[in-house]
Amino acid sequence: MILIALSWIILLLFFIPCGIAVKSLLKLKSSGNYIPIFLGLFIQCLGLSICSFFFKIGLEVFIANFLISVVITYWKSKEIKESVKEILFDLRALSTTSKCSLLSIFIFSLFKCSQFPFIVDNESYYLQTIKWINEYGLVKGLGNLHIYFGQTSPFHILQAGFNFNFLTERSNDINGLILNLSSLYFITEFEKRYKINGEIHWIGFILIFNILFFQFISSPSPDLLIFILSQILFYYFMDKEDSLENYKIATLLFLNLLFIKITIAPLILLLFYKMYKSKKRLYFFLTASAIIGAVLCLKNFIITGYPFYPLQILPINRDWTIPEKLLKFVIHITENSGYSKTSDLKNPTILHKLNSWIQLGGINRIFNFGIILLFAVGLVIKRYKNQTKYIFLYLVLALNFLILLFTSPQYRYFLPEFVFLFVVIFSTIFCCFKGSIKTALYSFLIAIVVPLAFTEIIGYPNLTKNRLHQDKESNSWTQILIPKKNSKYAEIAFEKVTEGNLDFNSPKENFFFYGTANGELPCVNKVQVDYLKKKYNFIPQLRTSDLADGFYSKNTAENE
């Protein structure tokens, strides 16, 4: 826990100077004290992604990044000092209850981050993609080695830049810092709005979702940043002054979301809604979008051969381009996993899919029924039903949900809609019963502490059928200083397997069809390789004798 707290301080030494520099260059005078930190995170993510085209993201890049940050800190030392002072002033100005809430979040998040990662995707491709970036940078055709490596996110590149891989294999905890920063932002905005106009605003009620957010912070999941930044984007759209400065911030927030996960793309309509008011807005949007789009497409092209991956639009024919059959296999799995936990639907109709989706059990059923109910209630909220911006935002969220519903309605994909509609409805009900500010703040504290305190006695089998998510964590006092390793399967044994010209490491225990844990590169489960060889006649192969030159998929049927 102590080492994790120290790593967060180091991260702030990078994010704050970069954010202040962006704030200065874009003349964002009214951005507040916390938005620049998120912008600094975004710029670091973008910069490291560009570096990964040319270099491995290891010690050398970290040192260069550190030196650049030192220069920026010296250049903007006055603004940085002022910003830190204002943040400390905000903290002192908070109520005692809010301070207790933030302290609870801080302690619990340190404890959670010191545990083994909870999200199963950590064991299939999070760890491995980060490891490839650390040791080689972006590698051509990496998606041919493991079908999920094509999903390498810029967030994983960001994590590779700050996981201190040259010192330890126990640090992938940026999400913990993001949760603490966002909680501070939400509660500060909530109290400030109340002091200004006596408003009990919905933004503070986001804190009651921390029990859900906590499940994502012990692993380098891109999803948490999506949940957090989407709420800030909605807040800027709904409640911030309609100015050029705020439009720039909203644009950067959206582009950060899009950079991390393409499923958020329909939210671009929120920017279009306010773009027409100024040519400067259009020019800023086009310029920023062109930069982000170029980097994202190039990243996708290098890893998969498809610039708009996972879409098959405009594929570029290179020897490392993932074969269409394998790409369709990945898409099929992703789509069906939202409808059926076994992903075994055979040519289903849309009605069959929706029927399967609504009948999913455990936590899926809670969110699936919940989102339908929230959209139904959200349509008739008296507090907002006459507000044009709310109606437009509601329609955009409904459109995004419908797209997901007919493609891959995994509940984590529509959590931005779920969280927003829930807090808007809940805050409205709270105000109808004339709840006071003290009651709200105490409610936040209880909603944070009680669920987290009883996390260890929650029966996970009642919430999920996934056996990989049902294991209970065993804790030890050593976690106070040293966190556990980045994989819950850190002790699993691996074996060397040869397939054609490729020697790869495979877990001896087939704990998960896509599982690789933290095996040495190159690593892929031999069960997966054998399955794709038998079903589709493709095996991963080295392009040259050098791992850095990447992989291609060889059609074994051509040799028969």
Side-chain angles (χ1 to χ4, degrees):
M1 293 169 65
I2 294 174
L3 291 179
I4 292 172
L6 179 61
S7 72
W8 289 351
I9 294 173
I10 294 173
L11 288 174
L12 289 175
L13 296 178
F14 286 84
F15 295 164
I16 292 177
C18 285
I20 295 296
V22 173
K23 175 182 176 180
S24 177
L25 291 172
L26 298 181
K27 300 179 182 179
L28 305 176
K29 297 179 181 179
S30 60
S31 63
N33 302 314
Y34 308 104
I35 294 299
I37 302 179
F38 287 106
L39 296 182
L41 181 151
F42 181 32
I43 293 304
Q44 281 287 336
C45 186
L46 177 62
L48 289 170
S49 295
I50 294 174
C51 285
S52 66
F53 296 149
F54 309 101
F55 312 105
K56 64 178 183 179
I57 307 300
L59 176 61
E60 298 83 355
V61 169
F62 182 85
I63 292 174
N65 196 1
F66 173 75
L67 294 176
I68 293 172
S69 297
V70 169
V71 173
I72 295 175
T73 301
Y74 178 78
W75 171 41
K76 292 294 178 183
S77 58
K78 183 178 179 180
E79 291 93 328
I80 292 172
K81 289 179 182 177
E82 189 63 31
S83 179
V84 172
K85 286 182 180 179
E86 290 178 0
I87 290 175
L88 294 176
F89 177 81
D90 284 344
L91 281 170
R92 288 192 293 268
L94 290 175
S95 65
T96 301
T97 308
S98 292
K99 291 176 183 176
C100 290
S101 294
L102 292 173
L103 180 61
S104 300
I105 293 171
F106 180 70
I107 293 174
F108 275 115
S109 59
L110 284 176
F111 179 72
K112 183 67 175 177
C113 286
S114 69
Q115 296 180 329
F116 287 128
F118 175 74
I119 304 297
V120 67
D121 287 343
N122 183 73
E123 310 300 338
S124 60
Y125 74 100
Y126 290 174
L127 278 177
Q128 287 292 311
T129 53
I130 291 171
K131 200 164 188 174
W132 276 103
I133 294 163
N134 278 144
E135 298 187 20
Y136 292 96
L138 292 179
V139 173
K140 293 177 180 177
L142 185 61
N144 290 293
L145 176 63
H146 187 303
I147 57 175
Y148 279 163
F149 290 175
Q151 299 182 35
T152 299
S153 169
F155 184 80
H156 295 140
I157 301 176
L158 175 70
Q159 183 65 80
F162 295 102
N163 65 350
F164 310 103
N165 71 302
F166 42 86
L167 296 175
T168 180
E169 289 187 342
R170 301 173 185 265
S171 179
N172 273 334
D173 303 303
I174 290 180
N175 273 335
L177 175 62
I178 291 172
L179 180 65
N180 279 273
L181 287 174
S182 62
S183 298
L184 177 58
Y185 176 75
F186 294 147
I187 198 67
T188 301
E189 288 293 308
F190 178 78
E191 289 207 10
K192 282 182 178 179
R193 294 189 74 92
Y194 181 79
K195 290 176 182 178
I196 293 173
N197 54 24
E199 179 184 11
I200 303 292
H201 196 273
W202 57 265
I203 195 168
F205 290 83
I206 298 173
L207 293 175
I208 66 180
F209 276 92
N210 272 9
I211 182 60
L212 175 63
F213 296 160
F214 263 77
Q215 308 313 313
F216 292 85
I217 66 173
S218 58
S219 62
S221 169
D223 293 313
L224 182 70
L225 193 60
I226 300 297
F227 307 154
I228 299 298
L229 290 188
S230 60
Q231 305 311 309
I232 300 177
L233 175 62
F234 302 155
Y235 179 54
Y236 264 78
F237 180 80
M238 286 274 292
D239 297 287
K240 287 292 186 177
E241 178 187 357
D242 189 9
S243 64
L244 176 60
E245 289 184 27
N246 287 334
Y247 183 82
K248 289 180 179 179
I249 293 173
T251 299
L252 293 177
L253 288 173
F254 168 75
L255 291 176
N256 195 354
L257 289 169
L258 186 68
F259 199 46
I260 300 300
K261 185 156 286 191
I262 193 78
T263 55
I264 213 75
L267 297 186
I268 195 174
L269 295 173
L270 300 180
L271 301 181
F272 290 166
Y273 180 84
K274 296 185 177 183
M275 186 186 297
Y276 72 91
K277 296 185 178 182
S278 167
K279 288 185 177 180
K280 291 183 179 180
R281 298 187 185 194
L282 174 61
Y283 295 152
F284 180 80
F285 172 81
L286 292 176
T287 302
S289 298
I291 296 172
I292 298 303
V295 175
L296 189 58
C297 287
L298 185 56
K299 185 269 296 183
N300 289 337
F301 166 64
I302 291 174
I303 295 175
T304 69
Y306 297 85
F308 299 96
Y309 182 88
L311 302 177
Q312 301 179 52
I313 301 173
L314 301 177
I316 299 177
N317 187 19
R318 293 291 187 272
D319 65 307
W320 71 83
T321 300
I322 297 176
E324 187 177 349
K325 286 184 179 180
L326 294 185
L327 182 59
K328 288 183 177 179
F329 173 66
V330 177
I331 295 173
H332 175 78
I333 292 173
T334 304
E335 289 179 348
N336 283 350
S337 63
Y339 299 107
S340 170
K341 288 295 101 180
T342 58
S343 300
D344 60 355
L345 299 176
K346 305 296 184 182
N347 300 318
T349 65
I350 189 61
L351 291 178
H352 185 192
K353 286 183 175 182
L354 295 179
N355 181 59
S356 177
W357 176 75
I358 204 66
Q359 293 187 46
L360 285 172
I363 195 171
N364 294 282
R365 176 168 294 185
I366 295 173
F367 283 103
N368 291 351
F369 275 98
I371 191 65
I372 294 173
L373 179 62
L374 289 175
F375 269 112
V377 177
L379 189 60
V380 295
I381 301 177
K382 290 184 178 180
R383 189 180 183 187
Y384 295 102
K385 71 176 185 178
N386 294 322
Q387 292 188 20
T388 304
K389 287 190 291 187
Y390 172 78
I391 294 173
F392 186 81
L393 176 55
Y394 175 92
L395 292 174
V396 171
L397 295 182
L399 173 63
N400 191 53
F401 173 67
L402 286 174
I403 293 173
L404 291 173
L405 186 61
F406 292 106
T407 53
S408 180
Q410 299 179 49
Y411 75 84
R412 62 192 174 105
Y413 290 169
F414 57 74
L415 272 179
E417 291 93 326
F418 190 101
V419 172
F420 173 74
L421 291 172
F422 183 94
V423 297
V424 166
I425 293 170
F426 191 82
S427 63
T428 300
I429 295 173
F430 186 88
C431 291
C432 287
F433 283 94
K434 302 187 183 302
S436 66
I437 182 70
K438 287 186 178 180
T439 303
L441 294 176
Y442 279 121
S443 299
F444 300 159
L445 179 58
I446 293 171
I448 292 167
V449 174
V450 173
L452 292 174
F454 287 92
T455 296
E456 293 304 313
I457 63 175
I458 293 176
Y460 287 116
N462 296 324
L463 295 176
T464 177
K465 300 299 181 183
N466 190 331
R467 62 179 179 82
L468 299 175
H469 283 157
Q470 293 177 357
D471 296 336
K472 285 291 185 180
E473 181 82 41
S474 59
N475 301 303
S476 62
W477 288 104
T478 58
Q479 291 172 235
I480 295 177
L481 176 61
I482 302 174
K484 293 188 177 181
K485 291 185 177 182
N486 290 336
S487 170
K488 66 169 63 175
Y489 299 100
E491 305 304 322
I492 199 169
F494 288 82
E495 60 181 329
K496 186 75 72 175
V497 179
T498 299
E499 186 68 68
N501 72 354
L502 174 64
D503 295 329
F504 63 91
N505 296 296
S506 173
K508 287 186 177 180
E509 176 190 346
N510 182 28
F511 65 95
F512 179 34
F513 180 80
Y514 306 106
T516 54
N518 197 25
E520 293 299 316
L521 305 182
C523 185
V524 61
N525 193 333
K526 65 179 180 181
V527 176
Q528 179 191 150
V529 173
D530 291 341
Y531 175 82
L532 295 178
K533 178 181 180 181
K534 181 178 179 181
K535 187 173 181 65
Y536 296 102
N537 299 313
F538 283 109
I539 57 172
Q541 294 287 273
L542 292 171
R543 296 179 64 237
T544 70
S545 59
D546 189 351
L547 271 179
D549 290 329
F551 306 87
Y552 74 100
S553 289
K554 181 179 180 181
N555 190 338
T556 57
E558 294 178 354
N559 298 328
E560 297 179 357

